[in-house]
Amino acid sequence: MSTAVVTGIGVAAPNGLGTGHYWAATLGAHSGIRPVSRFDASGYPARLAGEVPGFVAQEHLPSRLLPQTDHLTRLTLYAARAALDDAGINPGDLAEYEMGVVTASSAGGFEFGQRELQNLWSKGSRYVSAYQSFAWFYAVNTGQISIRHGMRGPSGVLVSDQAGGLDAVAQARRQIRRGSGLIVSGAVDGSICPWGWVAQLASGRLSDSDDPRRAYLPFDADARGHVPGEGGAILIVEDAEVASRRRARVYGELAGYAATFDPRPDTGREPGLRRAIELALADAGARPAEVDVVFADAAAVPELDRQEAAAITAVFGPSGVPVTAPKTMTGRLYSGAAPLDLAAALLCMRDGLIPPTTNVTPDPGYRLDLVTGEPRPAQVRTALVLARGEGGFNSAVVLRHAI
Amino acid sequence: MSTLTMTDLTKLLRACAGDAEHADLDGDVLDETFADLGYDSLALLELSGQIKQRYGVALPDDAARVTATPRQFLALVNSLS
């Protein structure tokens, strides 16, 4: 069976546009969480967000794409191009059916959709953009990457909230094993617009704090929900042999994956996360003792933090492995969060530095070795990334250092 | 309405579908096909919506299919106005 490796990373994150800016900010514990600027959120119960700074679409996209793309699709196209450049890939040099695109999404192009629905209700159907037909849609980012870069191989979109970011990358690995040479994967997600905001508020999981340093505190006794953000990462996944033939720089291997589903909430049965971790480790052929760091889902909802800490300590023992949540600097990016964590884990392997969890004073009751305050030097050869989606999704990916 | 000109059409196209990918719209493109200019059927559907909004001219649903070039498109709009 062929091995799937990551050879390119493109990042659009609230604490940095571009992989270099994001990683420097993350190691420097610089947060991108601020009062919402994309709309007037002052009258809403949640007023903070992680917004990607300094993105001017006209600088990155041809004008033909501007009328037909949501903000998040534009960020996706930026990140996809950055990831291809990082991998040293010129798609025009490759066979179009050898390359596919598998991304994840939780909401599609929500802001675009809101604008066109407002046009529909206030002015009439003639005023709705023809591009609404696809610009709002979950699969739009996959489609636009595919069209822009001429990639006609196996493609798709995964929709399982936060877990989708890992499910997409796992699907990319499947397609590599089935014979594709290259899959553009990962996700850039978010919906910071009034319509998206009320949809997120309905989860009951958003923090109502106005203090960016106290709003999103996973595994802290003061945990009070999360801050939503926008952004994520696009990853270039290749067959290891293909990558090796072209002497590509390899960040790491997608060594293991598993997804489980939680039992119904009122059954009293154990949530599925522990099993997802164990199955992903088994898939990678790795023992728990080999894992050097865990990137946590970090819900910052006390019951969910308890579930996650219980799953981690069940597999690794109390304080048995360093755990971190750099998403405390970006907010939760829905399906974009886990691909960004995969990027951070791969950069962590490269640089020997585990990025910190910011602002959090760990509640000792969780018995986690949480990396807080500043980066921790460590030789990281195997990393575990966790993502849980609202509605019961649990996914886990094991990354292994490139040999 | 007054006659729709290529200058009007150029402005509308740029506003609703972005600049042509494969040619300069300010050049002599009257007889280039929309496809060659890089505008797909959705771009033309969007253009039809703008024509209806701004000029009150309702184009038939198959306008995008039966007008291959800007010259043909202008002729159709002006014949209906």
Side-chain angles (χ1 to χ4, degrees):
Chain A
M1 198 155 51
S2 56
T3 300
V5 294
V6 177
T7 56
I9 297 173
V11 169
N15 61 344
L17 180 64
T19 306
H21 288 130
Y22 161 72
W23 188 234
T26 299
L27 291 179
H30 297 306
S31 172
I33 294 176
R34 292 184 177 67
V36 172
S37 76
R38 295 182 59 76
F39 70 99
D40 178 7
S42 58
Y44 291 80
R47 295 167 296 276
L48 296 177
E51 298 175 356
V52 175
F55 180 72
V56 180
Q58 288 78 357
E59 291 173 5
H60 301 287
L61 297 178
S63 79
R64 271 292 277 121
L65 285 175
L66 296 178
Q68 57 178 284
T69 44
D70 180 73
H71 175 60
L72 265 295
T73 300
R74 296 171 180 181
L75 287 174
T76 301
L77 288 169
Y78 160 83
R81 166 57 62 80
L84 288 165
D85 288 349
D86 185 46
I89 294 279
N90 177 10
D93 296 342
L94 302 171
E96 56 188 8
Y97 287 98
E98 279 292 300
M99 303 176 286
V101 187
V102 183
T103 67
S105 174
S106 69
F110 234 65
E111 191 178 16
F112 195 105
Q114 173 179 337
R115 189 180 66 228
E116 298 310 323
L117 283 177
Q118 283 176 318
N119 285 340
L120 175 66
W121 293 329
S122 62
K123 298 188 209 162
S125 59
R126 289 200 313 274
Y127 291 82
V128 176
S129 165
Y131 296 117
Q132 167 71 354
S133 55
F134 60 75
W136 74 272
F137 186 49
Y138 301 105
V140 67
N141 296 340
T142 287
Q144 289 284 21
I145 293 171
S146 160
I147 293 165
R148 189 173 191 207
H149 297 296
M151 299 173 165
R152 309 184 74 169
S155 297
V157 63
L158 278 290
V159 181
S160 43
D161 191 30
Q162 192 107 348
L166 295 182
D167 298 338
V169 171
Q171 176 66 4
R173 185 178 72 154
R174 263 180 226 117
Q175 297 299 2
I176 294 293
R177 287 175 170 177
R178 287 172 188 160
S180 288
L182 178 158
I183 303 286
V184 177
S185 192
V188 175
D189 201 0
S191 49
I192 305 177
C193 62
W195 190 33
W197 212 243
V198 291
Q200 293 171 68
L201 283 164
S203 71
R205 294 179 179 180
L206 265 52
S207 171
D208 61 0
S209 170
D210 282 316
D211 181 351
R213 285 160 306 177
R214 304 294 301 159
Y216 178 32
L217 301 170
F219 307 115
D220 189 309
D222 289 338
R224 57 195 293 164
H226 70 260
V227 173
E230 63 179 14
I234 296 294
L235 306 172
I236 306 303
V237 181
E238 286 187 81
D239 180 302
E241 280 182 29
V242 173
S244 157
R245 270 205 300 277
R246 68 179 189 90
R247 297 201 176 88
R249 177 256 338 265
V250 173
Y251 284 103
E253 177 197 344
L254 295 170
Y257 163 77
T260 62
F261 203 71
D262 286 335
R264 254 195 8 232
D266 52 3
T267 57
R269 289 162 55 204
E270 184 194 5
L273 184 60
R274 177 183 57 82
R275 211 156 41 88
I277 297 171
E278 290 171 347
L279 290 169
L281 287 172
D283 184 42
R287 289 173 293 111
E290 292 170 45
V291 173
D292 302 304
V293 64
V294 175
F295 284 72
D297 177 68
V301 171
E303 174 57 21
L304 296 172
D305 284 353
R306 259 193 299 280
Q307 290 176 7
E308 185 168 27
I312 292 170
T313 54
V315 176
F316 299 98
S319 299
V321 65
V323 176
T324 192
K327 57 169 71 79
T328 44
M329 292 173 258
T330 62
R332 283 173 76 80
L333 310 180
Y334 302 96
S335 71
L340 189 61
D341 277 344
L342 291 172
L346 293 165
L347 297 167
C348 157
M349 289 175 177
R350 183 191 70 184
D351 294 350
L353 289 169
I354 298 174
T357 307
T358 57
N359 303 316
V360 170
T361 305
D363 181 336
Y366 291 129
R367 300 190 298 168
L368 294 180
D369 173 16
L370 202 64
V371 177
T372 56
E374 56 187 37
R376 182 188 296 180
Q379 194 188 45
V380 175
R381 304 196 65 79
T382 305
L384 173 68
V385 176
L386 304 179
R388 304 187 79 194
E390 195 183 347
F393 303 99
N394 304 286
S395 293
V397 161
V398 177
L399 294 170
R400 202 176 272 126
H401 189 268
I403 297 146
Chain B
M1 65 170 254
S2 54
T3 306
L4 190 73
T5 66
M6 186 60 199
T7 311
D8 302 326
L9 181 61
T10 299
K11 265 191 215 148
L12 277 176
L13 262 174
R14 282 196 171 123
C16 70
D19 225 324
E21 283 178 330
H22 311 306
D24 178 5
L25 277 185
D26 296 324
D28 182 13
V29 296
L30 262 176
D31 295 308
E32 300 279 336
T33 65
F34 286 114
D36 284 345
L37 294 171
Y39 294 109
D40 53 21
S41 59
L42 266 178
L44 295 183
L45 191 60
E46 183 73 7
L47 179 65
S48 296
Q50 292 290 320
I51 295 283
K52 171 71 183 165
Q53 280 177 40
R54 296 182 189 218
Y55 300 99
V57 177
L59 297 172
D61 288 345
D62 64 352
R65 205 156 42 77
V66 300
T67 60
T69 66
R71 186 188 300 280
Q72 290 169 9
F73 187 86
L74 288 170
L76 177 65
V77 173
N78 290 324
S79 74
L80 293 170
S81 64

